[in-house]
C-alpha cells in the first residue's frame, strides 16, 4: 500500500477517502473514553457522600485513574509498535471493560480502595486507546493537516464528556443530601449505613453498561481492515526507533511539560467545579451537575470551532491566545467568587478545548519512526491529572477557599501559552519567523 500522505482524494480536506471507515471507528473512541473520564467528576461528589471523604481523599479518585495512564503509556506504545494500532485499540477496549466490571464487587464489598483499583484498570485500558488513537489520526493523512484532523476527532471527546456527566448526574447522584442533624438521627436509628450502601450501589449499573458497549466496539474493530500510517510505512524502510533521540527535540520535551500542565488544569477545573458552584452559589448537587454538563458542552463547541478557525489561524498561535484568555478567566474566578466566578470557570472549557490535541500534534511533529514512543510519552503526561487534584484539594482545605485553590490551573495556563507561542517552535520555524519579522521592519 502506498504512503497515505501521498493521497489527494480527501474528505473535508484532511481525511483520505479510502480510510474513512477506519478513521470513523477510531474517532468514535474519542467519544467512548470521554464518558468514564468525566464520570470521575461525578464520582468525586458521590464518594465524598457515600464514603464520607474529605476533598483531599476524594482527589485520590483522579490520582488512581491517571496513574494508570502513567504506568501503561509506554507499554501500550511498545505493544502497538510490535503488533499494530488495531491490536492495541482492541486490547484497550477489553481492559477498559474489565475495569468497569470491577465496580460491581467493589460496591458489594463497600471498599473505597477497590474502587480506586477498578479506576486504575479502566485508565490502563484507556491508555491504549488514547496512545493508539491520537497517533493513528495524526499519521493517517497529510502531515500539513494533522492538527485539523486530530482536533476534529478530539471534538467527539467532549460529546462523551457531556454524556458521562449527564449519566452520572441522572443515574449516580441521587439528589439526597442530608444535613448534620438528619445524619445524626439516622445514625441513632441504625439507618445511616444502609443509606450509604444504597448511595454506593448507584454507581454499578452505569459502569456495567459501559463495559458491554466497550466489548461491542472491540468486535467492530476486529472485523475492520486498518491501513498503515505514515510512521509505520517509515519503520518498514528505516532504522529502528531510539527513544534517546527524543532529547534532541526541544519542541517535544517542552510539549510533554505543557501536556502535563494542561491535564492538571483540566482535571482540577472539572473535578472541583461542582464544589465551587455549591460553595459560592448554594445550588444543590443536581443543579451543580447540570452546570458541569453545560461547561462540557462549551468544551465540545470549542473543539469543533477550533477545527474551522485553524483554516485561518495557525494552531500554535490560536492555542497561545486561548491560553492567555483562560489565565484571565481563572483570575476572575479567584478574585470574584460567586456567579461571576462560576461563569468565568464555565467558559474556560471553551478555550481549553483545543489544547490537548493541538499540543499533542505540535509535540510529535518531525519525530519520524519515533512517533509511537513519543506519543506514548505524551500520554504519560496525562499523569498531571493525578498530581494536581489532591494538591488543589489540600489548598482548598487549608485556606477554606475553592477560589484560592484555582491558582493551580492559572499557573498551568501560563506555561501552556508560553509553549504554544514559543516553546513549540522548531529551529527552522524560528529562523523563518525571524526572517518574516525582518521583512516588515521599516527601512530608512
Amino acid at each position: 500500500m502506498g504512503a497515505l500522505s501521498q493521497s489527494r482524494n480527501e474528505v473535508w480536506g484532511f481525511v483520505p477517502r479510502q480510510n474513512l471507515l477506519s478513521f470513523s471507528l477510531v474517532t468514535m473512541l474519542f467519544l467512548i473514553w470521554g464518558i468514564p473520564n468525566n464520570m470521575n467528576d461525578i464520582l468525586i461528589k458521590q464518594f465524598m457522600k457515600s464514603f464520607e471523604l474529605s476533598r483531599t481523599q476524594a482527589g485520590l479518585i483522579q490520582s488512581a485513574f491517571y496513574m494508570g495512564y502513567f504506568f501503561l503509556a509506554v507499554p501500550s506504545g511498545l505493544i502497538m509498535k510490535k503488533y499494530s494500532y488495531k491490536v492495541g485499540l482492541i486490547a484497550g477496549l477489553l481492559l477498559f471493560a474489565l475495569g468497569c466490571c470491577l465496580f460491581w464487587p467493589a460496591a458489594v464489598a463497600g471498599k473505597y480502595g477497590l474502587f480506586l483499583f477498578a479506576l486504575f484498570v479502566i485508565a490502563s485500558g484507556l491508555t491504549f486507546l488514547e496512545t493508539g488513537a491520537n497517533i493513528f489520526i495524526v499519521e493517517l493523512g497529510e502531515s500539513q493537516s494533522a492538527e485539523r484532523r486530530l482536533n476534529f476527532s478530539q471534538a467527539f471527546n467532549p460529546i462523551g464528556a457531556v454524556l458521562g456527566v449527564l449519566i452520572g448526574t441522572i443515574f449516580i447522584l441521587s439528589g439526597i443530601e442530608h444535613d448534620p442533624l438528619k445524619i445524626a438521627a439516622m445514625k441513632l436509628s441504625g439507618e445511616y449505613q444502609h443509606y450509604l450502601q444504597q448511595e454506593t450501589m448507584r454507581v454499578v449499573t452505569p459502569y456495567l453498561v459501559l463495559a458491554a458497549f466497550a466489548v461491542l466496539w472491540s468486535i467492530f474493530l476486529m472485523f475492520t481492515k486498518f491501513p498503515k500510517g505514515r510512521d509505520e510505512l517509515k519503520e518498514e524502510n528505516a532504522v529502528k526507533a531510539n527513544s534517546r533521540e527524543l532529547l534532541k527535540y526541544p519542541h517535544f520535551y517542552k510539549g510533554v511539560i505543557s501536556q502535563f500542565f494542561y491535564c492538571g488544569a483540566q482535571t482540577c477545573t472539572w473535578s472541583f467545579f461542582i464544589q465551587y458552584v455549591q460553595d459560592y452559589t448554594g445550588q444543590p448537587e443536581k443543579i451543580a451537575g447540570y452546570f458541569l454538563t453545560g461547561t462540557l458542552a462549551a468544551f465540545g463547541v470549542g473543539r469543533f470551532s477550533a477545527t474551522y478557525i485553524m483554516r485561518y489561524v495557525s494552531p500554535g498561535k490560536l492555542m497561545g491566545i486561548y491560553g492567555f484568555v483562560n489565565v484571565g478567566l481563572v483570575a476572575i474566578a479567584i478574585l470574584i467568587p460567586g456567579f461571576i466566578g462560576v461563569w468565568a470557570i464555565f467558559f474556560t472549557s471553551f478555550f481549553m478545548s483545543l489544547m490537548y490535541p493541538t499540543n499533542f500534534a505540535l509535540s510529535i511533529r518531525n519525530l519520524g519512526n519515533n512517533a509511537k514512543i513519543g506519543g506514548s510519552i505524551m500520554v504519560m503526561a496525562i499523569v498531571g491529572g493525578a498530581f494536581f487534584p489532591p494538591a488543589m484539594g489540600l489548598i482548598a482545605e487549608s485556606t477554606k477557599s475553592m477560589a484560592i485553590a484555582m491558582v493551580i490551573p492559572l499557573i498551568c495556563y501560563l506555561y501552556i501559552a508560553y509553549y504554544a507561542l514559543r516553546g513549540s517552535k522548531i529551529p527552522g520555524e524560528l529562523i523563518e519567523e525571524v526572517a518574516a519579522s525582518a521583512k516588515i521592519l521599516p527601512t530608512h
Side-chain angles (χ1 to χ4, degrees):
M1 181 176 177
L4 297 176
S5 60
Q6 296 174 353
S7 173
R8 300 296 179 185
N9 189 19
E10 295 184 323
V11 179
W12 307 310
F14 53 83
V15 181
R17 190 175 300 276
Q18 69 272 25
N19 300 318
L20 186 58
L21 176 60
S22 58
F23 174 84
S24 300
L25 289 175
V26 173
T27 292
M28 184 64 178
L29 295 177
F30 290 82
L31 184 151
I32 291 172
W33 81 61
I35 297 174
N37 262 291
N38 293 90
M39 284 176 72
N40 286 350
D41 305 323
I42 299 298
L43 289 181
I44 286 177
K45 175 62 180 175
Q46 182 68 5
F47 285 164
M48 283 179 68
K49 178 168 46 173
S50 63
F51 287 109
E52 300 180 286
L53 305 176
S54 68
R55 291 177 183 179
T56 303
Q57 291 171 321
L60 293 176
I61 288 172
Q62 299 290 23
S63 297
F65 190 80
Y66 288 108
M67 288 306 290
Y69 280 94
F70 181 77
F71 285 111
L72 271 294
V74 171
S76 67
L78 293 175
I79 289 172
M80 281 181 274
K81 186 174 180 61
K82 182 174 182 179
Y83 298 103
S84 67
Y85 287 115
K86 180 177 177 178
V87 169
L89 295 175
I90 292 171
L93 284 166
L94 295 178
L95 194 55
F96 164 41
L98 173 62
C100 289
C101 290
L102 290 176
F103 263 57
W104 190 358
V108 172
K111 300 293 185 182
Y112 182 51
L114 292 180
F115 277 111
L116 296 181
F117 176 72
L119 287 167
F120 178 86
V121 175
I122 288 173
S124 299
L126 300 187
T127 304
F128 279 82
L129 301 186
E130 293 217 32
T131 302
N134 280 296
I135 308 172
F136 179 79
I137 295 297
V138 167
E139 300 291 341
L140 185 64
E142 296 280 355
S143 59
Q144 294 87 342
S145 58
E147 289 90 351
R148 288 186 64 203
R149 192 164 48 252
L150 187 55
N151 264 282
F152 179 84
S153 293
Q154 282 272 2
F156 288 84
N157 181 257
I159 297 175
V162 170
L163 286 174
V165 174
L166 271 177
I167 291 168
T169 300
I170 295 170
F171 297 105
I172 294 179
L173 296 180
S174 64
I176 301 172
E177 298 180 273
H178 295 306
D179 59 38
L181 289 177
K182 177 67 174 177
I183 290 173
M186 292 176 72
K187 286 180 178 179
L188 287 174
S189 64
E191 299 174 359
Y192 191 58
Q193 287 304 315
H194 177 67
Y195 160 72
L196 294 181
Q197 180 66 16
Q198 283 184 316
E199 290 292 327
T200 302
M201 291 299 296
R202 291 181 66 87
V203 306
V204 174
T205 301
Y207 278 87
L208 291 181
V209 173
L210 280 180
F213 189 79
V215 172
L216 178 64
W217 209 257
S218 70
I219 294 172
F220 288 159
L221 293 185
M222 287 177 191
F223 292 98
T224 302
K225 184 178 180 180
F226 270 49
K228 290 184 177 180
R230 286 178 290 111
D231 60 320
E232 292 176 309
L233 293 169
K234 288 177 183 177
E235 287 174 6
E236 293 177 354
N237 304 294
V239 295
K240 291 184 177 180
N242 184 350
S243 59
R244 285 176 293 183
E245 292 181 0
L246 293 172
L247 295 176
K248 298 178 182 178
Y249 302 99
H251 76 280
F252 169 72
Y253 59 75
K254 289 179 181 179
V256 172
I257 297 171
S258 179
Q259 202 76 308
F260 177 82
F261 279 113
Y262 166 72
C263 292
Q266 184 206 71
T267 307
C268 284
T269 300
W270 294 346
S271 295
F272 292 105
F273 187 48
I274 289 177
Q275 203 62 53
Y276 185 98
V277 172
Q278 290 195 289
D279 282 358
Y280 298 111
T281 68
Q283 298 296 317
E285 65 178 21
K286 286 278 189 180
I287 298 299
Y290 291 128
F291 262 104
L292 180 59
T293 303
T295 195
L296 294 175
F299 185 79
V301 173
R303 278 264 169 93
F304 280 109
S305 64
T307 304
Y308 176 77
I309 296 172
M310 283 180 188
R311 295 175 61 185
Y312 309 101
V313 182
S314 70
K317 184 176 181 180
L318 188 62
M319 187 167 85
I321 293 170
Y322 280 17
F324 279 120
V325 170
N326 269 5
V327 169
L329 289 172
V330 176
I332 290 172
I334 294 171
L335 298 173
I336 315 175
F339 274 108
I340 292 176
V342 166
W343 285 110
I345 296 174
F346 184 98
F347 285 112
T348 61
S349 293
F350 177 91
F351 296 103
M352 77 166 73
S353 61
L354 61 71
M355 292 177 182
Y356 184 94
T358 304
N359 199 114
F360 195 101
L362 289 173
S363 300
I364 67 170
R365 287 173 302 158
N366 297 359
L367 297 188
N369 61 329
N370 287 306
K372 278 197 183 77
I373 189 66
S376 298
I377 294 172
M378 287 299 295
V379 173
M380 283 181 70
I382 292 176
V383 76
F387 176 79
F388 287 108
M392 189 168 174
L394 189 60
I395 292 173
E397 287 180 6
S398 60
T399 63
K400 303 195 183 306
S401 170
M402 278 307 314
I404 292 175
M406 285 289 167
V407 70
I408 287 183
L410 185 148
I411 293 170
C412 292
Y413 288 127
L414 281 172
Y415 183 86
I416 293 165
Y418 153 74
Y419 176 73
L421 298 175
R422 301 302 301 172
S424 63
K425 304 292 184 183
I426 57 178
E429 291 173 336
L430 286 170
I431 292 172
E432 292 174 6
E433 190 174 284
V434 171
S437 298
K439 288 180 181 179
I440 63 174
L441 289 175
T443 56
H444 298 282

